[in-house]
């Protein structure tokens, strides 16, 4: 059990659930979460030797999945939660991918990389957890090379009235209950509910990405708008 008074944006929240994060995610999303994350790589550019950066990498699912594509030469995953990164490193080691994957403790809102150092930046279910998501998008823009590619996967809220109610009931009541049963940590799953409800819905997120300096190349609405995946290209100033 974790101290309910812990700070919402501190890495402590994710460190506390890191070892069970993947299993709980798979159960509470009926496996959908994993399949949505695997769609991110479908928006990679066609060039070879891609250097990728995965923000809020957590346990590294998106970062490691990108390495399935032979045109990806390497991936760096960043996250402030050391417990999550430790799980990511163990997964990379088990899959023999450590030579092409690095997991580094860092804040997406202040990236420790120089301008134009990546071809691709991804972020899955991470922007929502940051106090200043626009700052993270600006940092993604800065570290991308000209015309570099950004993919953002994030929860949204379905626009259709009945499904919206069902979704609300699931996220507000069933999900925290299931999360609590599996981890003993109710605050973490109440936090998940709050962040999903508070974060901009798909359309507004798209405008945020565009306003930060990206042309939107594709938008995929997943499970009737429960989540959205954007692919964008860095506009050159
Ligand atoms: C819901 S998890 C998503 C992890 C992973 N991308 C996935 O899809 O499974 C959110 C992650 O965002 C990370 N996070 C929170 N604030 C962050 C920040 N300022 N910079 C980078 N990552 C952050 C958390 O530590 C956590 O690992």
């Amino acid at each position: 059990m974790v101290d309910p008074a812990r700070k919402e944006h501190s890495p402590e929240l994710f460190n506390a659930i890191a070892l069970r994060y993947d299993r709980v995610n798979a159960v509470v999303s009926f496996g959908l979460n994993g399949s949505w994350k695997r769609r991110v790589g479908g928006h990679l550019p066609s060039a070879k030797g891609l250097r990728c950066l995965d923000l809020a990498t957590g346990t590294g699912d998106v970062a490691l999945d990108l390495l399935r594509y032979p045109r990806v030469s390497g991936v760096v995953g960043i996250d402030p939660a050391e417990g999550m990164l430790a799980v990511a490193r163990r997964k990379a080691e088990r899959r023999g991918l450590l030579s092409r994957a690095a997991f580094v403790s860092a804040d997406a809102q202040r990236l420790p990389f120089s301008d134009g150092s990546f071809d691709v930046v991804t972020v899955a279910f991470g922007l929502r957890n940051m106090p200043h998501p626009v700052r993270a998008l600006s940092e993604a823009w800065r570290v991308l090379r000209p015309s570099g590619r950004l993919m953002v996967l994030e929860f949204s809220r379905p626009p259709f009235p009945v499904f919206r109610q069902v979704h609300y009931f699931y996220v507000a009541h069933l999900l925290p209950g299931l999360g609590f049963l599996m981890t003993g940590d109710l605050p973490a799953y109440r936090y998940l509910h709050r962040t999903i409800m508070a974060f901009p819905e798909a359309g507004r997120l798209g405008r945020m990405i565009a306003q930060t300096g990206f042309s939107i190349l594709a938008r995929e609405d997943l499970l009737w708008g429960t989540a959205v995946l954007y692919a964008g290209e860095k506009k050159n100033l």
Side-chain angles (χ1 to χ4, degrees), residues 14 21 37 56-58 79-81 84 106-109 124-125 129-130:
F14 284 97
Y21 176 84
K37 286 190 259 191
T57 196
D79 199 293
M84 299 286 271
D107 180 347
Q109 303 156 122
F125 306 118
N129 299 289
M130 299 174 199

Side-chain angles (χ1 to χ4, degrees), residues 147-226:
S147 303
R149 187 73 52 94
L150 171 76
M151 278 87 95
V152 177
L153 174 61
E154 193 47 89
F155 288 118
S156 183
R157 297 185 286 287
F160 316 108
V162 174
F163 192 58
R164 198 175 170 89
Q165 296 307 318
V166 174
H167 173 262
Y168 180 84
F169 181 75
Y170 182 72
V171 173
H173 302 292
L174 294 182
L175 192 147
L178 274 174
F180 174 66
L181 283 178
M182 294 185 72
T183 64
D185 190 342
L186 190 57
Y189 291 90
R190 283 210 174 122
Y191 167 75
L192 178 60
H193 158 234
R194 271 200 305 284
T195 56
I196 292 175
M197 292 304 157
F199 196 70
E201 292 189 33
R204 226 176 102 210
L205 173 60
R207 288 192 289 283
M208 271 165 63
I209 295 170
Q211 281 159 10
T212 315
F214 294 93
S215 315
I216 303 290
L217 301 176
R219 167 179 166 169
E220 284 189 57
D221 290 300
L222 304 164
L223 193 65
W224 302 300
T226 300

Side-chain angles (χ1 to χ4, degrees), residues 14 18 21-22 54-62 77-89 91 103 124:
F14 284 97
Y21 176 84
D22 286 343
D54 184 38
L55 306 177
T57 196
T59 59
D61 278 348
V62 170
I78 69 104
D79 199 293
E82 274 294 349
M84 299 286 271
L85 293 174
V87 175
R89 287 188 199 108
K91 277 194 214 168
F103 292 100

Side-chain angles (χ1 to χ4, degrees), residues 44 47-54 62-77 97-103 113 117-122:
L44 282 168
K48 291 199 175 112
L50 297 172
R51 299 156 302 166
C52 302
L53 172 66
D54 184 38
V62 170
L64 296 175
D65 189 65
L66 292 178
L67 292 173
R68 279 195 300 129
Y69 296 81
R71 60 190 189 275
V72 171
S73 61
V75 61
V76 179
L97 294 172
L98 265 185
S99 61
R100 292 163 66 213
F103 292 100
F113 305 110
S117 38
F118 292 95
D119 303 293
V120 175
V121 174
T122 55

